[in-house]
Amino acid sequence: MSPAGCSHVNGYKVDNWKQNLRVIYQCFVWSGTAETRRRKAKSCICHMCGAHLNRLHSCLYCVFFGCFTKKHIHEHAKNKRHNLAIDLLYGGIYCFVCQDYIYDKDMEQIAKEEQRKAWKLLSVISVPSHLCFFMSTGIGEKYTTWEPTKRELELLRHNPKRRKITTNCTIGLRGLINLGNTCFMNCIVQALTHTPLLRDFFLSDRHKCEMQSNSCLVCEMSQLFQEFYSGHRSPHIPFRLLHLVWTHARHLAGYEQQDAHEFLIAALDVLHRHCKGDTTHDNGKKANNPNHCNCIIDQIFTGGLQSDVTCQVCHGVSTTIDPFWDISLDLPGSSTPFWPLSPGGDGSTVNGESHLSGSTTLTDCLRRFTRPEHLGSSAKIKCGGCHSYQESTKQLTMKKLPIVACFHLKRFEHSAKLRRKITTYVSFPLELDMTPFMASSKESRMNGQYQQTVDVLNNDNKYSLFAVVNHQGTLESGHYTSFIRQHKDQWFKCDDAIITKASIKDVLDSEGYLLFYHKQFLEYE
């Protein structure tokens, strides 16, 4: 394309071209509603080969979709002399005469306006993986797309070579010095710094501190992310982080060994409280999570747990929804009776987990967690329907899933009679589907409408494992390590200052104490 720009767009700018272009963006590119997304999924297929991938483009002159990769859109352009087409994934406009993507001020303005409209309509559950998460939650109005400054344009002209992240890249991998029984902190820091959306938030400098003193844990985490992704290979010394944790969570102060799970919850709580400057309140609307908070911690980690208490006499149901940052799961071998359900002994597979005879899986633990529980005569509740105290059953299900699901396997048992560690092996999958444990699935089953088939257009309940925290040793004397995922199927073991390559088998064979899963369709690397 010449420096003056593409001259062929002038032939397109006739009659109602602006309205026509807006309709294309609304219906086939920035699909902001469920209806337009369904329409796009059904109608956007190549008119020649029927494929919906291969960089699909739409002709701007007529209703024709064609593959760019297989040059079906090129054939159409040549035969019909329709020189302009739009990329249905990114919205760029291609000129077949110039043989390049073009820039036109008027078209770009329409694209931006329609994209912003779509961002307003999008909720978290409908974001395509290639779009920035922060746009999907309404923050797109607060944080607009990045455009280079004059200084940045100058730098780009002098440095045109693009740097690529290769699969063997070690940026983001950095050991942490143990400051005296601080492995419990180090393993959680490794998990947090490799949480995809949290990483993208901090590396895009989105934190706006409103604290008066130099004691903001979010500022320290932001600095920590900069240190991790700076490319330095020497182990980092997290002394300021430790000091701030001692300051804001005094029960964790001192050089005694602490519980990694307890540290995780305390850290999320302090980060949540220190994120006040990062919240948004667009048009007074509440945030889309049970904490009704728009801080990055609640957007990523907060889910909604539904509790249904059913009266055994009138079958009236009382429902409450509570926020959660993690799910604590009982294990076989504890003093709490375990539900030995399932496909455990028949060699079947659920959620990609292989069931060996007598073994327990994460799915088993989740089934037990969401099973109906009879509360008994000693825990009668006052029924709103019967107006008297009655026996009841209680069932927990997931009303709203968080972006990051953290599962805490309760390996440390503390009671009046004993204190011990439960070493029962629990197998867990690389990919997890939470659909069976949703409140909506329970309601569908009760109505006789539940089907096991999964809607291919809605993968919102599917997760990928990205971090595992393990505890070695006894209750009195132990050590924490973690496995973190650097790239797809590429894992590393973090043992304080030492980081070594790990296999997927190493990860899945580990005992497992804290399991971190990330929503699949919101992951991008």
Side-chain angles (χ1 to χ4, degrees):
M1 187 174 68
S2 69
C6 175
S7 60
H8 308 102
V9 295
N10 295 328
Y12 173 72
K13 293 181 176 181
V14 294
D15 300 329
N16 296 323
W17 74 271
K18 289 186 177 181
Q19 183 58 32
N20 294 338
L21 187 60
R22 287 185 186 278
V23 170
I24 293 174
Y25 274 114
Q26 290 169 6
C27 296
F28 304 124
V29 184
W30 317 124
S31 304
T33 66
E35 178 58 35
T36 55
R37 286 194 299 279
R38 278 193 292 269
R39 186 188 304 131
K40 178 178 178 179
K42 289 180 179 179
S43 60
C44 290
I45 58 173
C46 177
H47 285 182
M48 288 192 180
C49 68
H52 64 277
L53 300 174
N54 299 322
R55 292 178 61 193
L56 203 65
H57 283 54
S58 172
C59 177
L60 287 185
Y61 298 86
C62 66
V63 181
F64 182 89
F65 301 126
C67 299
F68 193 92
T69 305
K70 294 183 178 180
K71 296 191 179 298
H72 292 153
I73 189 70
H74 297 69
E75 294 177 32
H76 172 80
K78 183 179 179 180
N79 294 334
K80 298 291 185 179
R81 294 185 180 180
H82 292 173
N83 297 327
L84 301 178
I86 186 169
D87 183 335
L88 297 185
L89 185 60
Y90 299 107
I93 294 177
Y94 188 87
C95 175
F96 292 97
V97 180
C98 297
Q99 296 183 14
D100 199 358
Y101 288 95
I102 63 171
Y103 172 83
D104 179 81
K105 185 178 179 181
D106 297 332
M107 290 180 164
E108 184 71 11
Q109 183 62 32
I110 291 173
K112 286 184 177 180
E113 289 174 3
E114 295 305 325
Q115 191 177 40
R116 289 193 185 101
K117 289 178 185 177
W119 288 345
K120 288 182 179 180
L121 295 171
L122 282 169
S123 61
V124 170
I125 61 172
S126 63
V127 182
S129 59
H130 67 279
L131 286 182
C132 176
F133 161 70
F134 310 108
M135 301 168 186
S136 71
T137 53
I139 307 180
E141 287 301 294
K142 185 176 179 182
Y143 302 112
T144 56
T145 35
W146 172 81
E147 293 182 2
T149 63
K150 290 183 179 179
R151 171 63 178 156
E152 288 167 336
L153 285 171
E154 189 66 24
L155 289 171
L156 288 169
R157 273 192 286 269
H158 286 88
N159 301 276
K161 189 175 180 181
R162 179 182 296 179
R163 296 185 65 186
K164 293 184 178 180
I165 302 294
T166 58
T167 54
N168 59 355
C169 176
T170 57
I171 292 179
L173 291 173
R174 197 166 183 186
L176 292 166
I177 296 294
N178 192 315
L179 301 174
N181 284 328
T182 57
C183 57
F184 70 93
M185 177 181 75
N186 290 348
C187 65
I188 297 301
V189 169
Q190 292 288 0
L192 293 179
T193 51
H194 288 88
T195 302
L197 283 180
L198 197 63
R199 171 197 64 199
D200 296 340
F201 175 85
F202 280 111
L203 292 184
S204 56
D205 195 25
R206 295 182 182 273
H207 172 54
K208 292 175 172 54
C209 186
E210 292 187 356
M211 298 185 69
Q212 300 299 319
S213 62
N214 189 24
S215 62
C216 176
L217 186 63
V218 189
C219 288
E220 180 56 30
M221 282 297 293
S222 182
Q223 182 61 38
L224 198 65
F225 272 87
Q226 301 297 329
E227 289 287 347
F228 263 71
Y229 291 90
S230 64
H232 296 309
R233 297 190 177 187
S234 59
H236 179 66
I237 308 173
F239 66 94
R240 273 192 49 79
L241 177 66
L242 182 64
H243 170 71
L244 287 174
V245 169
W246 285 0
T247 301
H248 297 292
R250 295 192 177 276
H251 62 290
L252 296 175
Y255 289 101
E256 298 176 356
Q257 179 65 275
Q258 303 289 348
D259 179 32
H261 173 248
E262 190 175 3
F263 175 81
L264 170 67
I265 300 304
L268 292 179
D269 178 58
V270 177
L271 288 169
H272 158 73
R273 289 189 276 119
H274 289 188
C275 270
K276 291 181 179 178
D278 303 321
T279 59
T280 61
H281 301 284
D282 297 331
N283 301 322
K285 291 189 294 185
K286 292 182 178 179
N288 190 23
N289 64 66
N291 268 347
H292 303 308
C293 174
N294 262 327
C295 80
I296 190 62
I297 299 302
D298 280 302
Q299 288 187 49
I300 293 177
F301 293 95
T302 299
L305 189 65
Q306 179 168 315
S307 174
D308 294 319
V309 178
T310 306
C311 174
Q312 293 299 285
V313 176
C314 70
H315 302 292
V317 180
S318 173
T319 299
T320 57
I321 299 172
D322 297 306
F324 68 87
W325 278 332
D326 73 314
I327 299 169
S328 293
L329 300 171
D330 289 316
L331 302 180
S334 68
S335 57
T336 305
F338 194 82
W339 190 24
L341 43 122
S342 104
D346 60 5
S348 62
T349 299
V350 175
N351 253 326
E353 299 165 322
S354 357
H355 290 258
L356 303 175
S357 179
S359 71
T360 303
T361 70
L362 178 61
T363 300
D364 289 334
C365 297
L366 285 167
R367 282 178 169 169
R368 183 192 188 282
F369 182 79
T370 56
R371 68 169 180 172
E373 177 186 2
H374 185 66
L375 297 181
S377 57
S378 61
K380 289 183 177 181
I381 61 161
K382 188 170 184 179
C383 175
C386 301
H387 303 293
S388 61
Y389 286 92
Q390 305 289 354
E391 291 189 21
S392 58
T393 59
K394 178 181 178 181
Q395 184 173 13
L396 299 175
T397 49
M398 310 297 161
K399 179 63 176 178
K400 183 182 185 303
L401 291 171
I403 290 170
V404 169
C406 175
F407 300 105
H408 165 225
L409 304 183
K410 294 161 71 173
R411 296 200 173 276
F412 303 128
E413 189 169 43
H414 303 271
S415 65
K417 295 182 179 180
L418 75 159
R419 294 177 68 251
R420 64 185 181 124
K421 179 184 175 183
I422 300 168
T423 59
T424 305
Y425 173 70
V426 176
S427 67
F428 47 90
L430 286 174
E431 296 186 347
L432 177 69
D433 187 354
M434 290 292 289
T435 302
F437 314 109
M438 297 293 292
S440 56
S441 296
K442 173 194 170 185
E443 292 161 6
S444 297
R445 283 193 298 270
M446 291 176 65
N447 295 331
Q449 300 170 343
Y450 182 71
Q451 295 181 349
Q452 193 62 39
T453 56
V454 180
D455 184 355
V456 294
L457 297 178
N458 181 13
N459 292 326
D460 189 44
N461 302 335
K462 291 186 177 180
Y463 287 82
S464 294
L465 184 72
F466 73 92
V468 178
V469 171
N470 288 292
H471 179 271
Q472 289 88 38
T474 64
L475 194 64
E476 293 75 22
S477 176
H479 179 61
Y480 287 102
T481 61
S482 58
F483 288 105
I484 59 95
R485 188 191 63 190
Q486 172 74 346
H487 301 288
K488 182 176 176 60
D489 297 334
Q490 190 178 84
W491 289 81
F492 289 85
K493 182 179 181 180
C494 303
D495 187 350
D496 288 331
I498 302 171
I499 296 182
T500 54
K501 192 81 179 284
S503 67
I504 293 177
K505 186 177 186 301
D506 294 333
V507 178
L508 298 181
D509 285 349
S510 65
E511 190 176 78
Y513 178 50
L514 298 174
L515 310 175
F516 293 85
Y517 286 84
H518 198 286
K519 278 195 174 182
Q520 286 181 0
F521 80 110
L522 283 173
E523 287 184 294
Y524 45 95
E525 298 181 356

